[in-house]
């Protein structure tokens, strides 16, 4: 895509290690030639993998992408705890993990599967009285965040291997989880439950909702080919589609309700020509517009 015309859609980025999510957004602003760029779900600088980026009008879809389930591959090191619960922080405690059995590790992961209450890492981006938790920690405060409900759909243990002459153990895992889950916190809590401490040494996000690494491109690849998933196509993947009559499309484009559909929603409502008109949610016997994508000029396609 290099026509000089700025479109709307989603781009599935394979975020490189060492980049913040904001770094990626800044880069994509330059590549897409627009300031209206956002992302769905922060990845830590240490992490790599799927980062869904919205361009122009598609940024309005990002709220719904953020709320989808995520899948990660990760490596957890047992026997060391760090201040950040990952490899970027200083080690604050060490214990031999030589005696921890594979059975105990799998049992610990099973306890952390399902609906759980998770305390986020104290160096997360969660705001405490208007200030990011990590900022407070770096200024010397002792920050303990409140537990929050999350769902771990699966916590699969793959390879378990000794490191550091057998005093530590590295555990390769796959985690599928709800929005708002901190994989760093899972590493911390698994190590804590085993009595040896733990932290994350590698993290790669492989899926966000319907978008996977198979669809992702590196920043170098995107510099050559932007690989934009057009707004209409992105909405069809994210939501159940509803095909509108011309009269219904006109009503919705002016913010008016139309009769309720078969799906409570949110659903993506499309005009007869395939253009996304609105996101809808049933309210009693009517379909209420949550977002209306009014027809625009070519730069908003």
């Amino acid at each position: 895509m290099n026509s000089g015309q700025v479109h709307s859609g989603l781009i599935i980025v394979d975020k490189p290690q060492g980049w913040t999510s904001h770094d990626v957004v800044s880069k994509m602003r330059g590549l897409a030639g627009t300031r209206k760029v956002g992302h769905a779900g922060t990845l830590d600088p240490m992490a790599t993998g799927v980062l869904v980026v919205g361009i122009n009008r598609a940024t309005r879809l990002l709220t719904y992408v953020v709320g989808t389930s995520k899948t990660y591959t990760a490596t957890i090191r047992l026997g060391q705890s760090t201040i950040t619960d990952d490899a970027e922080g200083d080690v604050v405690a060490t214990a031999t993990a030589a005696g921890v059995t594979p059975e105990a590790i799998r049992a610990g992961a099973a306890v952390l599967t399902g609906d759980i209450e998770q305390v986020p890492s104290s160096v997360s981006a969660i705001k405490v009285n208007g200030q990011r938790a990590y900022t407070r920690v770096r200024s010397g405060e002792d920050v303990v965040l409140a537990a929050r409900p999350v769902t771990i759909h699966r916590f699969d243990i793959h390879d378990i291997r000794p490191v550091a002459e057998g005093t530590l153990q590295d555990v390769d895992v796959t985690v599928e989880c709800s929005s708002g889950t901190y994989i760093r916190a899972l590493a911390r809590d698994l190590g804590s439950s085993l009595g040896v401490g733990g932290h994350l040494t590698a993290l790669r996000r492989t899926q966000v909702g319907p978008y996977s690494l198979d669809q992702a491109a590196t920043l170098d690849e995107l510099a050559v080919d932007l690989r934009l998933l057009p707004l209409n196509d992105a909405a069809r993947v994210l939501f159940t589609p509803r095909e509108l009559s011309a009269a219904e499309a006109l009503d919705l484009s002016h913010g008016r309700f139309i009769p309720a559909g078969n799906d409570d929603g949110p659903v993506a409502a499309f005009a007869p020509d395939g253009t996304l008109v609105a996101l809808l949610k049933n309210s009693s016997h009517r379909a209420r517009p949550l977002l209306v994508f009014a027809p625009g000029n070519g730069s908003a396609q």
Side-chain angles (χ1 to χ4, degrees):
M1 188 189 117
N2 193 24
S3 64
Q5 187 178 44
V6 180
H7 294 260
S8 293
L10 298 181
I11 298 173
I12 316 304
V13 180
D14 185 350
K15 188 189 85 66
Q17 190 170 34
W19 285 58
T20 67
S21 298
H22 181 71
D23 290 338
V24 173
V25 167
S26 296
K27 178 69 172 180
M28 295 309 302
R29 283 174 176 153
L31 294 180
T34 177
R35 295 292 301 170
K36 197 168 184 181
V37 178
H39 69 79
T42 300
L43 275 177
D44 291 332
M46 186 189 85
T48 66
V50 176
L51 184 69
V52 179
V53 172
I55 306 294
N56 290 326
R57 291 194 299 162
T59 57
R60 303 177 74 191
L61 299 179
L62 294 178
T63 297
Y64 299 93
V65 179
V66 168
T68 61
S69 294
K70 318 289 193 302
T71 303
Y72 300 85
T73 58
T75 300
I76 297 170
R77 177 156 294 176
L78 297 175
Q80 285 181 337
S81 301
T82 72
I83 193 170
T84 58
D85 300 327
D86 64 20
E88 296 195 320
D90 295 335
V91 175
V92 294
T94 302
T96 180
V100 179
T101 66
E103 293 76 17
I105 294 171
R106 296 183 190 281
V111 171
L112 292 169
T113 303
D115 296 327
I116 65 172
E117 293 284 325
Q118 184 183 72
V119 177
S121 170
S122 61
V123 291
S124 70
I126 294 171
K127 287 189 176 181
V128 180
N129 295 327
Q131 193 174 32
R132 302 289 186 189
Y134 60 73
T135 302
R136 291 181 174 273
V137 170
R138 288 168 184 164
S139 67
E141 288 189 43
D142 185 14
V143 176
V144 178
L145 299 170
R148 54 181 58 191
V150 298
T151 301
I152 311 302
H153 302 294
R154 62 187 176 104
F155 191 167
D156 296 338
I157 306 297
H158 304 302
D159 190 38
I160 302 171
R161 57 192 179 278
V163 293
E165 299 181 345
T167 61
L168 308 176
Q169 294 199 57
D170 277 358
V171 183
D172 294 335
V173 305
T174 296
V175 177
E176 182 184 348
C177 55
S178 65
S179 176
T181 302
Y182 286 84
I183 309 302
R184 284 180 293 162
L186 278 181
R188 176 201 65 204
D189 292 345
L190 178 61
S192 177
S193 72
L194 296 168
V196 297
H199 71 279
L200 206 62
T201 62
L203 182 65
R204 184 158 176 76
R205 189 155 66 192
T206 59
Q207 186 135 2
V208 175
Y211 306 114
S212 69
L213 278 174
D214 292 340
Q215 300 156 278
T218 66
L219 293 173
D220 286 344
E221 290 169 335
L222 292 169
V224 177
D225 177 5
L226 206 53
R227 301 193 192 184
L228 181 133
L229 180 64
L231 176 62
N232 297 333
D233 296 341
R236 282 191 181 275
V237 171
L238 277 171
F239 306 98
T240 300
R242 175 175 173 179
E243 307 302 334
L244 303 172
S245 67
E248 289 173 330
L250 182 62
D251 282 342
L252 285 176
S253 69
H254 290 94
R256 293 191 288 265
F257 290 4
I258 62 173
N262 296 325
D263 193 305
D264 284 340
V267 301
F270 294 90
D273 66 356
T275 301
L276 176 65
V277 178
L279 298 185
L280 304 178
K281 186 172 180 62
N282 284 348
S283 179
S284 185
H285 61 285
R286 300 182 300 181
R288 177 172 59 88
L290 298 173
L291 288 175
V292 176
F293 295 85
N297 57 31
S299 64
Q301 295 303 305

